[in-house]
Amino acid sequence: MEEYIVSARKYRPTSFDTVVGQTALTTTLKNAVKSGKLAHAYLFCGPRGVGKTTCARIFAKAINCQNPTGEGEACNQCESCQAFNEQRSYNIFELDAASNNSVEHIKTLMEQTRIPPQVGRYKVFIIDEVHMLSTAAFNAFLKTLEEPPAHVIFILATTEKHKILPTILSRCQIYDFERMTVRETIEHLKRVADKEGISYEEAALAVIAEKADGGMRDALSIFDQAASFCQGDITYQKVIDDLNVLDSENYFRIVDLSIENKVSEVMVLLNDIINKGFDGGLLVGGLAKHIRNVLMAKDQATLPLLEVSEEQRRRYGEQAARCPAQFLYRALKIANRCDLDYRQSNNKRLLVELTLIEIAQITQPDEPSVAGRRPRRLKILFKTIARTLRPATEAPQVASAGQVRSAQTATQAQSARNAGQNPPQATETQPAAASRPGEPAERAATQPSAAYRQASRPVLKTNGGALGFSWNNLREAAKPRKMQVIPGTLDATDPNATPREEQNAFSQNDLEFQWMSMCNRMPQKLSGIAARMKNMTPTITDFPTVEVTVENQIMLDQMQAIKGSIQNTLKLYLHNNRITLTMRLAEHHEQAKVLSRREQFEEMSKQNPAINKLRGLLDLELA
């Protein structure tokens, strides 16, 4: 029985012309052999299985060939070529740096460089996986690499160029090997199948090429596996069964069903795929790649970007003609978002289901009356609710006396109409609000009454039966509203807000509340000033003039630079456009002493003896 040799070894290239997918590199190396302009060190880098070590061997054989061809290839007839082919050449050495990475191995190799070649012109040292050398070995190798003997050429090969010392890289000619394209891999597999007498389907070879991910050695290994499983007849169905690859037909069906808005059928198809053992993340990633290919097939200019078989390219073109470009853009964005969120999701299947539902709803019209549609009314409802709910840091608006009277009159009129009575008429002498016992009348006049609060509260009127349901609208409603900074203020507020002429009254408590809120909302670049401003207490000197006492001149200068913004912010939130802000340096007797931690504790203990008692019970000591 003839000895079996795997295809990756049996069909390993023996000349530059048989190397697949590296035309530019092989041409450069052949020209170097023809011209005799050879460097003393070469570095071949790139992903696995793309021909680095193979090209190094071919190049080494061509360098020592005694009768090279006019194209720079080895003749395979001379003594040097025959010795290399029979693996008995003393001029070409191979070293696996993964297992020979110590200083002793490199020193032994350097000693061999002193001996000139017996046959041929050069001694060639091929060091594979050179990035595995230790730092000490690299340093021992560096001197010889910098000034090697005239008869020595080094060829280094690696998959991780970034791990090699820069001093090594600077002394080598660097050749970057590229991944094989799907088309190049398919054509090479066809030649191998024809030589082996194996029948095949081009779609099956395309699956093998995509699975190999640009590596020819991987492609040939998968080809041998598929040929063994298929008993010499490689078909598409057998290959996807053997390699456990998700059939691309599923992606075509998902896109077709999504265009027709058949959500239920998409869910059934997803369930079948998961029941076959395929991961949801694999499905989403494959769907995103499929949608990208369909998008590329819509334009002849981008058609060459499809690395698929001719049959698959035709199918992509047919589906691209049925899909709107806007659908493909949004579907690709949704699938990419799911791919990013998949690892962090606790319920991965639900995430995939929501993604497919959202894709299937892209082309649905806005019809509120049909269940499962994407209604506009739901989005309007969420926007209305978002406008109604105010942040906790936003100041409550204080109504003026005229606004309170108007609100009370409107409320009383509505109550009278409901009771069948004549509504009362608003008069100028009607009191704005009743003051509480012991409360100043001026303060009570600024407090909104219960009637005003009831009348000014917005009422949402929605027809729940007319609301549809859409995952798109739920996601849109959940997004936070984009806030913009009003010029001349220190915080972000409603972008639709417009300045109004307001002269509302405000109290000392209102002023202090808005001052602290402003400090909390100030931007990050003013955080230092904001922290010191929190310790200040603004006061109303001559309404509506506000005075702030600053402890030192440096802080006063910093606040003077943003005085206009502070004043505008107080005007906006206190609803009084006549506010005037003044700042002055504190007098000596006004400057508060900064207490240490111990002094703060002693002061607290004097005011509250229970603190000292608690310290004694818990046996605490002040650090």
Side-chain angles (χ1 to χ4, degrees), residues 232-439:
D233 182 16
I234 301 178
T235 62
Y236 176 79
Q237 188 60 43
K238 290 181 180 179
V239 168
I240 62 174
D241 291 342
D242 180 39
L243 302 181
N244 196 29
V245 176
L246 186 58
D247 190 357
S248 61
E249 183 65 28
N250 294 296
Y251 302 132
F252 283 103
R253 287 187 60 195
I254 289 176
V255 173
D256 289 337
L257 293 174
S258 298
I259 296 174
E260 300 173 2
N261 311 132
K262 296 181 178 179
V263 178
S264 57
E265 296 186 23
V266 172
M267 293 295 100
V268 173
L269 180 58
L270 172 63
N271 185 68
D272 293 340
I273 293 173
I274 293 178
N275 288 340
K276 291 179 181 178
F278 292 102
D279 182 62
L282 176 66
L283 171 65
V284 173
L287 180 61
K289 183 179 180 181
H290 175 85
I291 296 173
R292 175 260 183 194
N293 289 343
V294 175
L295 187 61
M296 296 299 104
K298 287 190 73 68
D299 193 340
Q300 290 295 328
T302 56
L303 200 59
L305 299 179
L306 294 179
E307 296 185 351
V308 294
S309 62
E310 291 299 329
E311 176 64 21
Q312 289 286 87
R313 184 171 303 192
R314 181 187 61 80
R315 291 199 62 187
Y316 279 123
E318 293 175 354
Q319 190 169 72
R322 300 192 300 269
C323 295
Q326 190 64 27
F327 166 81
L328 296 175
Y329 292 143
R330 293 189 60 185
L332 190 59
K333 183 178 179 180
I334 294 169
N336 182 64
R337 183 180 62 203
C338 177
D339 188 41
L340 294 175
D341 297 340
Y342 188 80
R343 290 186 179 181
Q344 289 77 23
S345 176
N346 292 327
N347 194 338
K348 301 185 185 302
R349 174 162 182 169
L350 178 60
L351 177 63
V352 176
E353 289 176 345
L354 290 176
T355 300
L356 296 181
I357 291 173
E358 195 169 353
I359 292 175
Q361 288 183 336
I362 292 176
T363 58
Q364 286 184 347
D366 290 336
E367 296 180 8
S369 59
V370 181
R373 299 290 183 174
R374 300 169 56 246
R376 293 180 180 173
R377 191 173 303 232
L378 186 61
K379 185 179 292 186
I380 295 174
L381 171 64
F382 277 108
K383 286 185 177 180
T384 306
I385 294 174
R387 286 197 299 267
T388 304
L389 299 177
R390 297 296 183 188
T393 59
E394 187 169 331
Q397 296 186 0
V398 181
S400 63
Q403 293 173 328
V404 173
R405 287 196 295 271
S406 301
Q408 289 176 335
T409 302
T411 306
Q412 294 172 6
Q414 179 65 31
S415 302
R417 281 193 293 271
N418 295 338
Q421 302 173 1
N422 293 326
Q425 300 296 324
T427 63
E428 292 297 330
T429 59
Q430 186 173 356
S435 61
R436 301 185 187 92
E439 183 178 4

Side-chain angles (χ1 to χ4, degrees), residues 416-480:
R417 281 193 293 271
N418 295 338
Q421 302 173 1
N422 293 326
Q425 300 296 324
T427 63
E428 292 297 330
T429 59
Q430 186 173 356
S435 61
R436 301 185 187 92
E439 183 178 4
E442 180 181 353
R443 175 67 184 273
T446 63
Q447 297 296 331
S449 64
Y452 169 72
R453 291 195 297 268
Q454 180 65 26
S456 61
R457 183 180 296 120
V459 180
L460 297 178
K461 295 182 179 180
T462 57
N463 184 4
L467 292 179
F469 180 81
S470 170
W471 294 108
N472 263 344
N473 292 334
L474 285 177
R475 288 176 185 248
E476 290 295 329
K479 292 180 180 178

Side-chain angles (χ1 to χ4, degrees), residues 172-204:
C172 300
Q173 283 191 10
I174 301 175
Y175 291 80
D176 291 304
F177 284 69
E178 300 177 354
R179 293 182 180 273
M180 313 293 180
T181 65
V182 173
R183 173 52 49 192
E184 291 170 343
T185 305
I186 292 175
E187 294 301 325
H188 187 66
L189 293 179
K190 285 182 179 180
R191 291 192 291 268
V192 173
D194 292 337
K195 292 179 181 179
E196 293 292 327
I198 298 174
S199 59
Y200 57 86
E201 293 180 1
E202 186 172 348

Side-chain angles (χ1 to χ4, degrees), residues 91-167:
N91 293 340
I92 300 174
F93 300 88
E94 285 193 39
L95 177 69
D96 179 21
S99 55
N100 302 278
N101 55 6
S102 65
V103 178
E104 289 72 17
H105 293 110
I106 294 299
K107 288 182 177 179
T108 302
L109 184 66
M110 295 304 100
E111 291 175 358
Q112 296 180 6
T113 61
R114 302 175 183 176
I115 305 174
Q118 302 300 316
V119 179
R121 299 174 54 192
Y122 298 98
K123 267 195 170 183
V124 182
F125 295 88
I126 301 174
I127 305 179
D128 202 6
E129 301 298 336
V130 69
H131 68 274
M132 298 291 288
L133 290 178
S134 63
T135 304
F138 267 128
N139 293 330
F141 178 51
L142 183 59
K143 185 60 179 178
T144 304
L145 184 64
E146 184 178 5
E147 297 177 358
H151 59 270
V152 172
I153 293 178
F154 292 102
I155 303 178
L156 315 179
T158 179
T159 56
E160 301 182 40
K161 181 175 67 173
H162 61 278
K163 292 185 178 181
I164 301 177
L165 296 179
T167 50

